[in-house]
């Protein structure tokens, strides 16, 4: 039996108390006085990450993926998807197969394909060479190769030919469809959501900007049921815009993500993303060929700190980092909150929200 004391961050509240753990499971969360100054939050759940610590998810290499997941685990991410970028079908298929053992042992919660079914006009740092229209045939094979459990999310531009059919197919097979890297109109965004899309991939970034006469995908997503991903690195989003989007969507529909690449936690220099050269300088990653922002060097603990610094209450920021993405994945009966019966995934923070310790399934890491 393990007891962890401090200020417990639970849905809607921060209360002094204790978390009681037996084996891999939380058995009780109890209020109590003089519980200590540590802040206890649920383990972070990252829906969108390409790598970190010098290791990448984008090549389909299982050893690389395991090392990237371990790096982010050290920063409090206890549940994560491995995000690929736009790639040839063969790489997508092989990566899905390679990552099955990591999904089996819960190193990963699944695979996210950020592409290749994206808008050429809004592809950002995605490799335009690999962009193509959505293919139900490709998705069918990927889901089969992944044994109906590896493929968890696919980002699609809803204006592309065949997009609504692909989104509906994903919904029918229990895979999250996300609207992103899109030049869609408001109406086309609504059509994607009506077809079954339930996530917005890094809101604002890789999207047609809002306009008061053509709201586009940003407003379409904010004004919907979709969970809106937010990259809280103060680079992709100004803190004021982060706060605006978080309040507009609310903590139940805003999810913090890293969109991190292998350069996260590494020195400035030259890196690779999907076969394209990326230059990292002062935390900012940009494509060498055109200067487009290319992923981030963010970790989830820093995302939490930046969100709180932007004026979002700690309990809401913690929900955005854990509870909401867990619910989006359908894993809220396992992870994402400090509640009895859930897996003992938690992060101990100091008063400045810096990570002191990380626990996953009842084991300190």
């Amino acid at each position: 039996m393990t007891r962890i004391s401090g200020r417990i961050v639970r849905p809607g509240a921060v209360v002094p108390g204790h978390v009681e753990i037996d084996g891999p499971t939380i058995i009780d969360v109890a209020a109590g006085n003089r519980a200590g100054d540590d802040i206890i939050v649920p383990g972070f759940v990252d829906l969108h990450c390409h790598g970190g610590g010098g290791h990448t998810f984008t090549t389909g290499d299982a050893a690389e993926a395991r090392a990237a997941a371990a790096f982010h685990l050290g920063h409090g991410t206890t549940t994560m998807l491995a995000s690929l970028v736009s790639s040839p079908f063969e790489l997508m298929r092989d990566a899905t197969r390679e990552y099955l053992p990591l999904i089996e042992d819960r190193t990963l919660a699944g695979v996210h394909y950020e592409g290749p079914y994206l808008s050429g006009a809004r592809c950002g740092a995605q490799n335009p060479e690999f962009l193509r229209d959505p293919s139900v045939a490709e998705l069918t094979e990927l889901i089969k190769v992944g044994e109906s459990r590896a493929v968890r999310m696919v980002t699609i531009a809803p204006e592309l030919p065949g997009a609504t059919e692909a989104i509906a197919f994903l919904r029918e097979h229990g895979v999250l469809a996300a609207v992103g890297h899109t030049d869609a109109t408001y109406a086309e965004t609504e059509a994607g959501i009506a077809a079954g899309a339930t996530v917005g991939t890094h809101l604002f970034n890789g999207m047609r900007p809002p306009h008061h006469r053509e709201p586009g995908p940003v407003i379409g997503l904010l004004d919907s049921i979709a969970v809106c991903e937010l990259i809280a690195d103060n680079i992709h989003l100004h803190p004021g815009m982060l706060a605006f989007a978080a309040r507009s969507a609310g903590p139940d529909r805003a999810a913090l993500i890293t969109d991190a690449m292998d350069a996260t936690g590494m020195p400035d220099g030259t890196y690779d993303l999907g076969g394209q050269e990326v230059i990292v300088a002062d935390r900012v990653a940009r494509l060498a060929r055109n200067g487009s922002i290319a992923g981030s060097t963010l970790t989830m603990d820093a995302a939490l700190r930046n969100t709180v610094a932007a004026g979002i209450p700690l309990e809401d920021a913690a929900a955005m980092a854990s509870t909401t993405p867990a619910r989006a994945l359908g894993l809220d009966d396992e992870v994402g909150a400090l509640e009895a019966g859930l897996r003992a995934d938690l992060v101990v923070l100091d008063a400045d929200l810096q990570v002191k310790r990380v626990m996953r399934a009842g084991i300190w890491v």
Side-chain angles (χ1 to χ4, degrees):
M1 188 87 68
T2 302
R3 168 181 276 200
I4 304 166
S5 301
R7 294 158 57 197
I8 312 299
V9 181
R10 304 183 75 184
V14 181
V15 294
H18 317 281
V19 181
E20 301 277 0
I21 294 161
D22 188 10
T25 306
I26 298 172
I27 59 170
D28 192 28
V29 181
N33 296 324
R34 296 193 213 171
D37 295 327
D38 286 343
I39 297 168
I40 319 298
V41 298
F44 305 131
V45 179
D46 192 356
L47 296 174
H48 188 152
C49 180
H50 300 289
H55 305 282
T56 185
F57 293 130
T58 63
T59 59
D61 183 288
E64 281 281 297
R66 197 175 291 281
F71 169 82
H72 284 285
L73 180 60
H75 288 270
T77 299
T78 52
T79 301
M80 70 188 313
L81 298 184
S83 297
L84 277 69
V85 291
S86 295
S87 308
F89 175 74
E90 293 74 20
L91 192 156
M92 298 168 70
R93 180 196 60 208
D94 294 348
T96 304
R97 186 181 292 115
E98 283 292 312
Y99 291 164
L100 270 171
L102 282 73
I103 295 162
E104 183 68 30
D105 68 15
R106 297 191 171 186
T107 298
L108 299 174
V111 176
H112 163 220
Y113 305 121
E114 188 188 10
Y117 313 131
L118 311 177
S119 162
R122 302 291 175 188
C123 66
Q126 299 280 333
N127 193 329
E129 178 183 347
F130 302 130
L131 300 183
R132 52 194 183 271
D133 290 339
S135 168
V136 169
E138 287 189 357
L139 292 170
T140 299
E141 185 168 348
L142 291 169
I143 290 170
K144 182 179 179 181
V145 166
E147 300 179 4
S148 298
R149 55 198 172 92
V151 182
R152 298 303 295 266
M153 185 161 70
V154 181
T155 298
I156 294 179
E159 72 274 19
L160 295 178
T164 54
E165 293 83 356
I167 290 168
F169 174 83
L170 292 170
R171 178 193 61 200
E172 291 163 8
H173 287 78
V175 178
L176 295 175
V179 171
H181 285 282
T182 173
D183 201 40
T185 63
Y186 183 84
E188 288 168 333
T189 304
E190 284 190 310
I193 293 165
T198 55
V199 177
T201 294
H202 47 49
L203 195 74
F204 294 100
N205 295 107
M207 293 184 180
R208 175 196 292 238
H211 187 279
H212 54 284
R213 285 189 292 274
E214 173 44 71
V218 171
I219 306 304
L221 288 162
L222 282 174
D223 194 30
S224 76
I225 62 166
V227 169
C228 297
E229 296 181 349
L230 301 171
I231 309 174
D233 62 353
N234 298 338
I235 297 164
H236 284 79
L237 293 175
H238 184 281
M241 189 61 85
L242 168 66
F244 166 78
R247 292 183 182 122
S248 296
D252 291 339
R253 285 186 42 243
L256 300 181
I257 61 163
T258 63
D259 194 21
M261 60 175 292
D262 59 349
T264 305
M266 302 296 288
D268 286 354
T270 302
Y271 295 85
D272 177 88
L273 183 65
Q276 299 187 99
E277 185 177 280
V278 175
I279 298 172
V280 177
D282 193 23
R283 299 186 306 115
V284 182
R286 294 186 181 276
L287 282 186
R289 65 179 172 83
N290 65 7
S292 291
I293 295 178
S296 86
T297 58
L298 184 66
T299 54
M300 285 294 284
D301 57 321
L304 180 78
R305 289 191 294 273
N306 290 340
T307 302
V308 172
I312 301 301
L314 174 59
E315 60 269 29
D316 289 349
M320 293 161 59
S322 304
T323 314
T324 298
R327 188 171 58 251
L329 285 171
L331 296 176
D332 49 323
D333 60 345
E334 299 178 39
V335 299
L338 299 177
E339 299 291 345
L342 298 189
R343 196 171 75 193
D345 291 0
L346 57 84
V347 187
V348 180
L349 305 171
D350 66 18
D352 296 321
L353 305 183
Q354 298 287 336
V355 173
K356 292 179 69 174
R357 299 185 84 185
V358 178
M359 174 180 281
R360 188 176 190 277
I363 298 172
W364 293 111
V365 300

